[in-house]
Amino acid sequence: MSHPAPPAPAPVEFTHRQILTILGGLMMGMFLAALDQTIMATATRTIADDLQGFDLQAWATTAFLITSTISTPLYGKLSDIYGRRPFFLLAIGIFIVGSFLCGLSENMWQLAAFRAIQGLGAGGLMSLALAIIGDIVPPRERAKYQGFFLAVFGTASVLGPILGGFFAGADTLLGTDGWRWVFYLNVPIGLAAMAVVARVLHLPHHRVDHRIDWPGALTLILALVPLLTVAEQGREWGWGSGRSIACYVIGGIGLIGFVLAERAYKDEALLPLALLGKRTVAVGVTASTILGMAMFGGLMTVPLYLQIVKGSSATLAGLQMIPFVVGIMTGSIISGQLISRTGRYRIFPIVGSVFMVISLYLFSLVGADTPLWRTMLVMVLMGLGLGSNMQPMITAVQNAVSPREIGTATGAVTFFRSMGGTLGTAVFLSVLFNVLPGNIEKAYTAAQPTAEFQQAIAADPSQAETLKVAMSGAGLSDTSFLSRLADPISHPFKVGFADSVHVVYLIAFFVMILGLIVVFFLPEIPLSQRSAQQARAEEAAVKEGSEAPA
């Protein structure tokens, strides 16, 4: 005797006020993930010194990246099956526990292990928040609300370095090492986010039974762990060393296994190949990978330029990034409002990519003596490009897939953007440190015969010894000696660094041109006026009607 199917939950219409309340909880969760990435940038050095593990600090970053990247598509798939709310609460909970444990770390290996736990939570915070908005807001209106998310990302980008610099600079706070508050800060924010989400986020969920693609998850781990590890460590190990080659081989085997698992699981796969076969999704994930590369590759060099070439402190460099954040927020708000009014989205990723191409080229022209205001104008342009690009692309992908696939599709775009960012950071840092010694040497060779340089050396001969240490390569891991040098002696180092940054931006420029070409293939599909959960409820009602006895 067959049991009748459970009745489909009635679609719920959310008012603007209800959406804003739910958005508050989601934004707190996203703020946790975004702040954690930026706050670490300025605090890592102090943490590594305190835990006597400066040479191991990359593992703390790598562990977080690996677990957050791998868990992103898993959260998307599992939340499609069991509902978003429990997994969003779980992600916040895991993140809080991981953060608290990080604050208790006694050595660098412990910190790396606890950062891995933190990453397991972070993987769900960003992608699930975007998927939940997809559930409750029709695509036509979605971009308008998603602009708030980029505002959170932007605010965290500014606050992170400032807070990181403040906590790292304080020896003790409330009887605890200052840097430990970088992690403890997440606990009250996370608990508040959990309380808000538990109270306001009530989505109707119609359970759909699926097979969980565990072989896909395991082979994805086998592929990504060695490849992300070599991306982070390859510069130190040597790209052709035995350890690096072993990582390539294991990663390659994992990748082949992953593709085979996805083919076997078809629609139930972690990243369904049929989904990636849809033109909008294929363009979305390819463009997001390239955008991630160009964005992270470009962005991580701007604070370095501000600190080394312009002499800004970590905190000041964070404040000097505000024009970039203003650009992101302006771009996302304008594109969101226009998509909502016109129902057209294709033009925005194209315009955003054009802005990115122009800004990366202009960044490649910035030198040691370029006025700061000019660099800041380029930051605004790059921010406008990112703001016009990221959210409209997610809206396009969510609109192109079935309402049941929103979590999976959103997870896929976030996953590939994160992969692109990791790859971009590794490649561009590698390029930067490869060309840096030669460019610094060239700049000093040009400066040594000048009268200003000779007079500065004659006035304080000890500076020549400091310079010798810097030129031996030790200066590349610690640039604090620049503040002890007279300006004519430190200036060539800054010129060499700026010249090296040019190379990074030129590569990012060519990468982004490729991204612009890809975006031109994005189709314009009319934006749906229904939210995903309304569409799911209607689908279920139609199915029930067709299965009912005549």
Side-chain angles (χ1 to χ4, degrees), residues 14-100:
F14 289 92
T15 65
H16 177 66
R17 188 173 175 182
Q18 284 173 315
I19 290 169
L20 286 180
T21 310
I22 292 170
L23 206 63
L26 300 182
M27 285 165 72
M28 287 171 82
M30 286 188 82
F31 183 72
L32 274 173
L35 184 71
D36 186 74
Q37 288 175 6
T38 55
I39 202 169
M40 282 295 288
T42 47
T44 300
R45 183 162 223 148
T46 308
I47 295 168
D49 286 343
D50 198 57
L51 295 178
Q52 281 94 42
F54 194 77
D55 53 334
L56 301 173
Q57 63 172 321
W59 288 106
T61 312
T62 311
F64 181 88
L65 275 172
I66 287 169
T67 52
S68 62
T69 304
I70 288 166
S71 60
T72 296
L74 265 176
Y75 276 110
K77 191 72 182 174
L78 289 168
S79 71
D80 274 348
I81 300 170
Y82 301 109
R84 313 271 186 242
R85 185 173 178 265
F87 281 96
F88 195 60
L89 288 169
L90 177 70
I92 298 173
I94 293 172
F95 191 83
I96 292 170
V97 171
S99 298
F100 185 72

Side-chain angles (χ1 to χ4, degrees), residues 357-358 360-361 504-514:
V357 167
I358 295 169
L360 287 166
Y361 178 72
V504 169
Y505 280 113
L506 273 176
I507 297 172
F509 164 73
F510 287 114
V511 167
M512 200 58 221
I513 286 178
L514 191 63

